[in-house]
Amino acid sequence: MRYPGGKGKTYQHLINLMPPHEVYIETHLGGGSVLRHKKPANRSIGIDCDENVINAWKQRPKIECELVHGRAEDFLANSSFHGQELVYADPPYVPSTRRREKVYKCDYSISDHERLLSRLQDLPCKVMISGYENTLYKQYLSTWNTITFDAMTHTGIREETVWFNFDAPVRLHDSRFIGTNFRDRQTVKRRIQRWKSKFSEMDPVERHALINWIDEAYIKGGCA
C-alpha cells in the first residue's frame, strides 16, 4: 500500500529507536510501514481518520492490528494508559514545511498540530513523533530528544526529524535492523552471526560460565 509520506524506506531508523513495549499505537496509520515491519507487540492499534485507509487494512487479515477509524487526538483523550505503551505519531507534516500544502484527505492545520502535540505531551508513556524541523514543534517539544536522518521523497532528499520523550534505549523492542544504513546493517548481522556460531561451539561448561558472567554483569547489574 503506497501512501504519501510513508516510511517504506526509513522504517529501520524508527524501529531502531523503539524501547521494549507491551502495547504499540500508531496514530496516523496510512500505509503502516513501521507497524508492518516491526516485531509485533502484545497489542497493536492503528488509527486513521481516512475510512479508505481503514478499509484497505481490513484486507490484511495476516497482520494482527486493532483498527480505529477516527482522529488520533480523540482516541488518545479517551484511552487509559499504564506506562507500557509506545505511541508513534506520523501526522501530515506542518504545511509550511511541505512542498505541497494539500496532500491528504484528512490533512492537518496548525491548530490540529497544536491539539495533537498537547495531547501527546500529556501521555504517561513513551512517545515518538515524526516531522520536518519547524518552529511549532520546537516550541512544544523543547524538552524532548531528537534524531535526524535523510529520507528520499518524490522531490528529492529531505531531512526527517523524530522527537521522542525518553532516553535513547540501550535495549530495543526489535533489534533486527540495527545499523544506520544497509551496509552497516549487513555488517552487524554478520558480526552477530559469528558470535552466535562461536557461542554454540563452546565447551558447555565454558558457555555456562559465560552466561553466568553476562547475567551478573549486564542483567542483575542493571546494565542491559
Side-chain angles (χ1 to χ4, degrees):
M1 178 179 175
R2 299 187 58 141
Y3 197 80
K7 299 299 182 286
K9 297 180 180 180
T10 59
Y11 62 84
Q12 298 96 334
H13 295 283
L14 296 157
I15 294 173
N16 285 343
L17 188 59
M18 293 181 170
H21 53 274
E22 298 295 325
V23 179
Y24 177 69
I25 302 172
E26 197 160 315
T27 62
H28 300 77
L29 186 57
S33 290
V34 176
L35 189 149
R36 287 188 287 109
H37 286 93
K38 70 183 287 292
K39 183 176 75 173
N42 290 343
R43 183 186 180 197
S44 298
I45 303 170
I47 308 162
D48 208 288
C49 60
D50 188 340
E51 187 176 7
N52 293 331
V53 169
I54 299 298
N55 288 335
W57 271 83
K58 288 179 179 178
Q59 310 304 312
R60 297 178 171 186
K62 293 183 180 180
I63 300 177
E64 294 186 9
C65 175
E66 300 172 31
L67 299 172
V68 177
H69 178 218
R71 293 191 64 88
E73 305 91 303
D74 296 334
F75 176 87
L76 297 174
N78 295 306
S79 298
S80 298
F81 290 83
H82 305 284
Q84 299 303 313
E85 302 86 1
L86 172 64
V87 175
Y88 171 53
D90 184 27
Y93 289 1
V94 172
S96 62
T97 68
R98 302 182 336 219
R99 290 187 170 90
R100 289 188 297 159
E101 289 196 2
K102 182 65 176 178
V103 178
Y104 304 96
K105 178 180 178 181
C106 300
D107 222 318
Y108 262 46
S109 65
I110 292 298
S111 60
D112 291 326
H113 279 281
E114 290 176 333
R115 185 176 174 219
L116 174 66
L117 292 171
S118 295
R119 182 61 57 195
L120 293 175
Q121 281 183 313
D122 291 339
L123 295 180
C125 65
K126 294 178 174 62
V127 180
M128 300 165 50
I129 181 170
S130 291
Y132 294 141
E133 184 175 332
N134 63 86
T135 55
L136 179 67
Y137 279 42
K138 281 185 175 181
Q139 175 187 344
Y140 271 83
L141 308 178
S142 61
T143 62
W144 289 31
N145 294 314
T146 61
I147 64 165
T148 60
F149 55 85
D150 290 336
M152 178 61 71
T153 72
H154 68 285
T155 58
I157 295 176
R158 295 289 303 271
E159 185 178 74
E160 293 255 0
T161 298
V162 182
W163 290 262
F164 53 103
N165 67 349
F166 50 90
D167 294 331
V170 295
R171 265 184 73 215
L172 298 176
H173 177 78
D174 186 348
S175 59
R176 293 173 300 160
F177 304 104
I178 296 174
T180 57
N181 54 46
F182 177 78
R183 179 176 293 180
D184 195 18
R185 287 191 289 274
Q186 291 301 108
T187 299
V188 172
K189 286 180 180 179
R190 287 193 292 267
R191 185 162 59 238
I192 291 176
Q193 187 56 51
R194 287 197 298 270
W195 290 339
K196 288 181 178 179
S197 296
K198 289 180 179 179
F199 188 77
S200 64
E201 294 168 359
M202 291 175 68
D203 175 84
V205 175
E206 184 180 351
R207 183 166 57 238
H208 187 69
L210 180 58
I211 292 172
N212 283 340
W213 173 76
I214 292 174
D215 185 48
E216 293 292 337
Y218 293 96
I219 307 300
K220 295 178 180 177
C223 297

